[in-house]
Amino acid sequence: MAEGDFWSGYALPLVAMVLEILAIVVPLLLVVAYATYAERKVLAAAQLRKGPNVVGPFGLLQPLADGLKLFMKETVIPSGANRVVFAAAPMLTFVLALIAWAVIPFDPGVVLSNINVGILYLFAISSLGVYGIIMAGWASNSKYAFLGALRSAAQMVSYEVSIGFVMVTVLLCAGSLNISDIVLAQRHLWYVIPLLPMAVVFFISGLAETNRSPFDLPEGESELVAGYFVEYSAMTFALFFLGEYANMILVSAMTSILFLGGWLAPFGVPPFTWVPGPIWFFLKIAFCFFCFLWVRATFPRFRYDQLMRLGWKVFLPLSLFWLVLTAAFLTAFGMLPT
Amino acid sequence: MPVVSVPTILPALPEILTVCSAMALLMLGVFRGEGSTRLVSWLAVLALVLVLAVALARGGDRQIGLNGMFITDGFALFMKVLVLIGSAVSIVMAMAYNERERIARFEFPVLVLLATTGMLMMISANDLISLYIGLELQSLALYVVAAFKRDSAQSTEAGLKYFVLGALSSGMLLYGCSLVYGFAGTTNFAGLAAMFAEGNASIGLIIGIVFVSVGLAFKVSAVPFHMWTPDVYEGAPTPVTAFFSVAPKIAAMALFIRFLVEPFGALTAEWRQIIWFISVASMLLGAFAAINQRNIKRLMAYSSIGHVGYALIGLAAGTETGIQGVLIYMAIYLFMNLGTFTVILCMRRDGRMVEAIDDLSGLAKTQPALALALGIFMFSMAGIPPLAGFFSKVWVFLAAIHAGLYVLAVIGVVTSVVGAFYYIRIVKLMYFDEAKGVFDRPIGAEMQAILVVSSVVIMLFFVIPGPLLTSAELAAAALFPG
Amino acid sequence: MIIQAVCFYVFAAVAVASGVMVISARNPVHSVLFLILAFFNAAALFVLLGAEFLAMILVIVYVGAVAVLFLFVVMMLDINFVELRHGFLQYLPIGALIGFILFAELVLVIGYWALAPNIASVLAAPLPATAQVTNTQALGDLLYTRYIYAFQASGIVLLIAMIGAIVLTLRARAGVRRQDSSAQVYRPRAASVEIVKIEVGKGV
């Protein structure tokens, strides 16, 4: 093999790919860090407090200080814990939260990997999130952690079903599993308008999927101390924490892509089109993320049986019904995408 | 875009009707609650009758539908009629029993309907895939109804045993199917038949056929794959046992026949040895193992194993008359078995079921009508002329002789004589022994009706054998075109 | 090409190795985790084959749902696998015998393997050109048209499984107080709140 072949064939693409990955991951981590800041500020505002305001101007350096603190602390592994699984669980959570971004398009063509089955990939990755939790709960060898993990696993598996049906409904309208195509299919009309009930189901299921309030039973502070990561400290805890916020941002991004037209401007005319696509996308994600926080500030926690009831007896039939309705509508009016 | 057009669905109309009515009844039951069991049961019977009418109205023309995976012909029609009768009667038999045993739940008729769908699909299978799916559909529903009396250890044990062994046999069947597919490159029966007509049967195919046959032999409970039968028959609730002994057996027999005759008709010489062996083994075991039984349901299990052995004689012959013999045998077997199980269902003393054979002693003095009916069924099963059971046996033996299988016929006659011993012993118990007690009365109008109809059919078969014989002949002819 | 080959060998080797670990790991939870790893590698192999739809479905269904339940059960049941292995040696001969028979058959079959020359003509559903349709579409085309019968029938099989599970396990317990949300929501104010004017010094 010629030397030039090696460089142009393997090495350069590899370097380019690594750079691309870094270009996604680094801003993402920054956003994740500031998501925690945003959460504290929004909650504070909702509760008529000030929130972090000591470290740096407006407390803007608070996330960095928190990160530094966690980094400096000692990682404690409980004596009865299964060490390998215990250590693997937070890494898994974190990695899964990051690799999902590989298929998220930020603008036409600006995507790390434009695969045919992007939406399935996202669904697959989000369905794996439960492993980090269940492994953490089991490996901690603690009752609280295990209970939290069990709750969480049951909850995530239950809500995944309706998320799947919502996705299928969107796919029916878009006629493609490719995420960029799904976004482009919303050029004329964002799916949030025709599929409003599905968008609501998706968002609420997303709350459950990320174990966010009002479905945060797995980590319910008052009853389970902190659920599955009660035994985690320092960096392992930080990884969980980052993974969880990255997941929230991911669900926000998925909501934007599936229902809010991804990077598309609200109206395809100037001055809206002057704003670049990634900015729109960021704004939409920020809006969805704000809804997450808004819900947390507003609603009390669900009881576990109510949570299951909502998932299986309300969302599942509703999403199935809407799926059939959508399919029937599209077929009847010849609007099936080809 | 290729779309399944409506006409190709039409051959499957009876199946579609059955499954739709099952789902409708399920909804009805769920919304009306447990109180609706009787209503759902009768509606299920009505649905089966309706399906029967539709099937008959559509007639026995050879039609292939659903992209070649589904076939209806005279043979399928004949078997479907038998299965539908068996299922409908089983639901009727189960109603009063389930109520008395406090297991009356609306899911029972629904499950029987779904199992019946599976059986109809098995009978109409024209592809290895539809064969397997029909079989699974049927089996899964049967596992559940076997364990339907879920608070009884015996019933759950029966369900579990049936499930585990059934899964094993399904595995065998699938292994066989994959071998057949791997060597033939097609799963379609017509495609397979075309391949074998050219005479390329490799060793892999033969092994595949053997494995599929093993799976099917399990489903018809032929020796050496019969181990589950006595336990399941004994443990399952009695109406379920009645159902097991007729409908699934008929459906599996139909599948067995179609599988061996249609795609593998060119290989008759190869598979005849297998069938010959399991037929002989079933007859011998059915005759000898039944002698020592004390429990009437176990006895019926062995008896059914024996009967399958006799029916397989006709299949071993592999000729048109042989298949006709099997069809006649299964039809008469259906009536004999339903009648016998109706009597077994009437065996209750002080509100509890009794199942020992000795409990029948002196029945002639206390309940002469019941004793008479059981006597007729027993004589018929033993093959005493002029009852129907005699003719069904004669038919398969004659077919065997025509096909040159003299040994098989002789063994059949010998085991019939042995078998007659235990059937007639029951008659002796009823008529010549002291009464042990009285069974509860009344037995219920439905039961009386089933008893009367089945005993009349068995007694008077020799007067008007025409309809059954001609329809069986037509049905068998459908498998041997040209 | 080389990268593909390397990927294949890595994924295949890990899949086989984790398969071995599934049956040899001492801790049942580790077994399940290795099973998941094996699923993953199988999915990766699908991707290498160009069957990305199957790969994703494998991950979603088996890893995302089935294996979670496995893990659940294994964690909850606390099975003592050491005890289970007690009978292992006892059953080894018969297991080995059956394994040997199946293996011998496979050898026999493969030894006689000869693809029929006209095999292409009897194929039930020839593959469409992959350049024209994605494999998701190709699968859908077959599943919902040609094999609609098998597809629907499998759906009914699953329905039966569901009914069966409910019939055999659901028990309506007596004396359970159930929440009726609509009754709670529609409760009038008068039914729950009463305003009492209490005179000073008298108490309630």
Side-chain angles (χ1 to χ4, degrees):
Chain A
M1 192 186 297
E3 200 168 301
D5 218 29
F6 171 77
W7 282 107
S8 60
Y10 292 117
L12 285 179
L14 194 69
V15 172
M17 195 171 278
V18 170
L19 286 179
E20 280 173 27
I21 291 173
L22 285 179
I24 293 176
V25 168
V26 172
L28 178 66
L29 287 182
L30 213 62
V31 170
V32 167
Y34 277 90
T36 62
Y37 175 77
E39 169 156 43
R40 292 165 74 173
K41 276 291 189 195
V42 170
L43 284 182
Q47 295 159 359
L48 302 178
R49 296 184 282 116
K50 275 195 189 310
N53 62 352
V54 177
V55 191
F58 307 107
L60 271 174
L61 296 179
Q62 185 69 46
L64 301 182
D66 287 344
L68 196 65
K69 179 197 76 174
L70 286 171
F71 190 67
M72 305 289 281
K73 279 195 164 182
E74 183 196 353
T75 301
V76 180
I77 296 184
S79 57
N82 190 316
R83 301 178 70 93
V84 178
V85 180
F86 186 83
M91 295 182 205
L92 187 71
T93 308
F94 184 65
V95 168
L96 284 176
L98 292 190
I99 60 172
W101 288 86
V103 295
I104 303 273
F106 299 93
D107 212 23
V110 184
V111 50
L112 183 62
S113 167
N114 191 18
I115 59 175
N116 274 338
V117 289
I119 196 75
L120 280 183
Y121 173 84
L122 274 186
F123 189 50
I125 296 296
S126 68
S127 72
L128 294 181
V130 64
Y131 280 107
I133 291 169
I134 202 168
M135 279 161 70
W138 177 78
S140 299
N141 201 8
S142 146
K143 284 193 185 68
Y144 290 125
F146 192 52
L147 273 178
L150 288 183
R151 281 185 180 185
S152 163
Q155 172 178 333
M156 290 173 85
V157 170
S158 310
Y159 278 87
E160 222 142 68
V161 184
S162 38
I163 289 193
F165 280 118
V166 173
M167 283 185 175
V168 174
T169 318
V170 172
L171 297 183
L172 270 180
C173 301
S176 171
L177 292 168
N178 182 299
I179 298 183
S180 299
D181 289 352
I182 292 174
V183 172
L184 287 176
Q186 304 180 54
R187 255 174 327 220
H188 307 299
L189 185 65
W190 290 0
Y191 287 148
V192 69
I193 297 166
L195 299 177
L196 182 65
M198 290 290 94
V200 173
V201 168
F202 185 83
F203 183 74
I204 298 178
S205 304
L207 290 176
E209 188 77 5
T210 47
N211 295 322
R212 285 294 297 186
S213 165
F215 306 114
D216 56 347
L217 293 118
E219 42 192 272
E221 304 90 341
S222 44
E223 43 204 297
L224 291 176
V225 204
Y228 51 88
F229 48 58
V230 63
E231 302 291 349
Y232 282 87
S233 56
M235 274 318 282
T236 49
F237 176 75
L239 286 181
F240 263 125
F241 209 67
L242 290 176
E244 194 156 297
Y245 278 86
N247 266 331
M248 284 162 63
I249 297 174
L250 180 68
V251 170
S252 308
M254 278 162 77
T255 315
S256 324
I257 286 170
L258 291 177
F259 295 104
L260 302 175
W263 69 76
L264 295 173
F267 305 98
V269 289
F272 297 103
T273 46
W274 292 343
V275 181
I279 304 276
W280 279 122
F281 191 43
F282 180 79
L283 286 177
K284 286 170 188 171
I285 293 177
F287 170 72
C288 294
F289 188 75
F290 173 73
C291 291
F292 267 80
L293 307 180
W294 190 11
V295 168
R296 174 166 175 194
T298 318
F299 288 106
R301 187 178 295 147
F302 262 53
R303 214 169 58 203
Y304 201 72
D305 62 321
Q306 292 170 330
L307 170 98
M308 283 296 165
R309 184 181 155 276
L310 183 70
W312 289 108
K313 290 188 170 175
V314 180
F315 282 180
L316 182 59
L318 178 68
S319 52
L320 259 177
F321 169 74
W322 204 266
L323 171 67
V324 174
L325 193 73
T326 310
F329 183 86
L330 290 174
T331 318
F333 292 95
M335 289 161 70
L336 270 180
T338 43
Chain B
M1 191 185 280
V3 172
V4 180
S5 49
V6 177
T8 54
I9 294 178
L10 270 182
L13 196 61
E15 285 75 8
I16 294 172
L17 261 179
T18 329
V19 77
C20 288
S21 50
M23 287 193 267
L25 291 179
L26 184 65
M27 295 300 278
L28 180 75
V30 169
F31 283 109
R32 295 280 308 266
E34 290 300 337
S36 60
T37 307
R38 211 156 241 277
L39 176 71
V40 173
S41 299
W42 279 117
L43 285 177
V45 174
L46 184 72
L48 286 172
V49 172
L50 195 71
V51 171
L52 186 66
V54 170
L56 285 173
R58 289 196 53 78
D61 297 335
R62 186 182 171 88
Q63 283 177 315
I64 292 180
L66 294 158
N67 294 310
M69 296 181 85
F70 191 91
I71 184 171
T72 53
D73 53 10
F75 174 74
L77 179 66
F78 186 90
M79 287 308 216
K80 279 182 188 176
V81 169
L82 295 189
V83 164
L84 289 169
I85 293 174
S87 302
V89 173
S90 304
I91 295 178
V92 173
M93 278 159 76
M95 269 185 268
Y97 174 89
N98 284 358
E99 276 163 22
R100 278 190 304 245
E101 300 285 320
R102 293 170 200 287
I103 50 170
R105 307 184 63 191
F106 68 87
E107 286 97 341
F108 182 81
V110 172
L111 282 168
V112 172
L113 266 187
L114 287 169
T116 310
T117 314
M119 293 169 203
L120 300 183
M121 286 165 60
M122 281 158 74
I123 293 171
S124 279
N126 196 33
D127 192 296
L128 290 177
I129 299 174
S130 40
L131 174 157
Y132 176 68
I133 291 185
L135 198 68
E136 256 338 79
L137 190 59
Q138 176 232 219
S139 310
L140 202 59
L142 294 187
Y143 303 145
V144 179
V145 287
F148 202 76
K149 202 170 165 187
R150 60 186 192 183
D151 293 321
S152 131
Q154 259 195 330
S155 175
T156 39
E157 183 198 332
L160 195 65
K161 261 187 189 157
Y162 194 25
F163 172 67
V164 170
L165 290 172
L168 185 74
S169 78
S170 292
M172 297 267 200
L173 190 112
L174 270 183
Y175 190 59
C177 288
S178 64
L179 280 178
V180 170
Y181 176 58
F183 276 86
T186 176
T187 53
N188 195 281
F189 283 1
L192 287 171
M195 283 208 78
F196 299 127
E198 297 159 20
N200 35 4
S202 55
I203 182 91
L205 270 174
I206 304 291
I207 294 180
I209 299 173
V210 170
F211 271 101
V212 177
S213 304
V214 167
L216 292 175
F218 177 92
K219 299 293 176 199
V220 294
S221 73
V223 181
F225 309 103
H226 65 284
M227 305 78 77
W228 57 277
T229 323
D231 291 342
V232 172
Y233 276 37
E234 190 187 355
T238 311
V240 174
T241 312
F243 180 52
F244 277 12
S245 71
V246 288
K249 213 156 253 194
I250 291 169
M253 192 58 100
L255 188 58
F256 215 162
I257 293 172
R258 190 186 291 282
F259 176 73
L260 289 179
V261 172
E262 279 215 327
F264 299 108
L267 307 178
T268 309
E270 272 88 358
W271 55 254
R272 177 177 281 164
Q273 308 158 19
I274 308 172
I275 303 300
W276 190 95
F277 170 73
I278 55 179
S279 164
V280 168
S282 305
M283 288 189 293
L284 287 175
L285 187 106
F288 287 101
I291 294 176
N292 267 329
Q293 299 306 322
R294 293 276 160 265
N295 180 302
I296 185 113
K297 280 159 84 181
R298 276 189 99 80
L299 178 89
M300 289 307 290
Y302 284 106
S303 140
S304 84
I305 294 172
H307 284 298
V308 165
Y310 296 121
L312 285 175
I313 293 181
L315 180 56
T319 56
E320 201 173 320
T321 31
I323 302 303
Q324 189 191 353
V326 182
L327 296 181
I328 295 168
Y329 202 101
M330 292 323 279
I332 290 170
Y333 170 80
L334 170 77
F335 286 103
M336 294 192 301
N337 247 32
L338 286 178
T340 312
F341 273 102
T342 313
V343 177
I344 296 176
L345 273 173
C346 297
M347 289 171 60
R348 50 174 55 251
R349 217 165 259 157
D350 309 325
R352 294 186 53 220
M353 294 293 295
V354 287
E355 292 174 355
I357 295 175
D358 291 338
D359 288 318
L360 284 167
S361 52
L363 187 65
K365 282 149 203 145
T366 55
Q367 272 136 308
L370 205 58
L372 179 66
L374 187 57
I376 291 168
F377 301 136
M378 287 298 129
F379 276 124
S380 173
M381 286 206 182
I384 308 290
L387 297 172
F390 167 72
F391 293 100
S392 61
K393 278 196 172 119
V394 166
W395 216 272
V396 287
F397 292 158
L398 280 181
I401 290 169
H402 281 309
L405 303 168
Y406 301 108
V407 182
L408 200 55
V410 170
I411 295 176
V413 173
V414 172
T415 51
S416 299
V417 174
V418 178
F421 165 73
Y422 59 79
Y423 292 125
I424 294 175
R425 190 171 64 117
I426 293 178
V427 178
K428 176 228 153 206
L429 270 176
M430 291 192 299
Y431 279 88
F432 301 105
D433 283 13
E434 282 307 308
K436 275 180 114 183
V438 194
F439 291 145
D440 291 357
R441 267 183 286 197
I443 61 171
E446 313 96 83
M447 298 301 209
Q448 280 171 347
I450 299 170
L451 278 180
V452 169
V453 170
S454 46
S455 41
V456 164
V457 167
I458 287 162
M459 274 197 302
L460 298 186
F461 171 71
F462 76 101
V463 183
I464 16 175
L468 182 62
L469 294 189
T470 34
S471 52
E473 194 180 346
L474 280 175
L479 280 184
F480 295 90
Chain C
M1 275 299 106
I2 293 179
I3 289 184
Q4 270 203 353
V6 169
C7 286
F8 170 78
Y9 285 113
V10 169
F11 290 135
V14 176
V16 172
S18 43
V20 172
M21 287 306 287
V22 170
I23 51 172
S24 61
R26 287 196 174 277
N27 190 329
V29 174
H30 289 178
S31 285
V32 180
L33 292 177
F34 276 114
L35 184 68
I36 293 161
L37 188 60
F39 281 145
F40 251 113
N41 285 285
L45 290 177
F46 270 133
V47 171
L48 280 183
L49 279 174
E52 70 267 6
F53 181 76
L54 281 183
M56 293 306 152
I57 292 295
L58 184 73
V59 173
I60 293 171
V61 174
Y62 282 92
V63 183
V66 175
V68 173
L69 299 182
F70 266 29
L71 206 56
F72 233 64
V73 172
V74 170
M75 284 176 178
M76 301 281 277
L77 282 187
D78 197 18
I79 311 163
N80 191 346
F81 273 68
V82 180
E83 214 162 272
L84 273 185
R85 291 223 175 98
H86 257 333
F88 184 67
L89 277 182
Q90 206 177 329
Y91 294 114
L92 189 64
I94 190 145
L97 185 72
I98 293 175
F100 176 76
I101 292 175
L102 289 179
F103 181 72
E105 268 162 3
L106 269 182
V107 168
L108 204 66
V109 163
I110 291 169
Y112 276 86
W113 186 286
L115 274 178
N118 55 348
I119 204 109
S121 61
V122 291
L123 270 185
L127 292 168
T130 41
Q132 288 157 18
V133 289
T134 63
N135 60 52
T136 316
Q137 202 179 347
L139 263 177
D141 273 349
L142 274 185
L143 207 57
Y144 297 118
T145 56
R146 188 176 177 90
Y147 292 109
I148 182 74
Y149 175 56
F151 181 77
Q152 291 286 339
S154 337
I156 301 167
V157 171
L158 294 180
L159 175 69
I160 294 179
M162 210 160 87
I163 299 174
I166 294 173
V167 166
L168 294 182
T169 56
L170 183 72
R171 278 161 212 276
R173 284 203 191 81
V176 176
R177 291 157 63 101
R178 294 200 179 278
Q179 183 184 17
D180 186 355
S181 324
S182 50
Q184 290 175 341
V185 172
Y186 285 111
R187 183 177 55 165
R189 185 164 181 273
S192 43
V193 183
E194 190 187 355
I195 296 177
V196 189
K197 261 217 154 63
I198 299 166
E199 286 174 39
V200 179
K202 280 206 168 167
V204 183

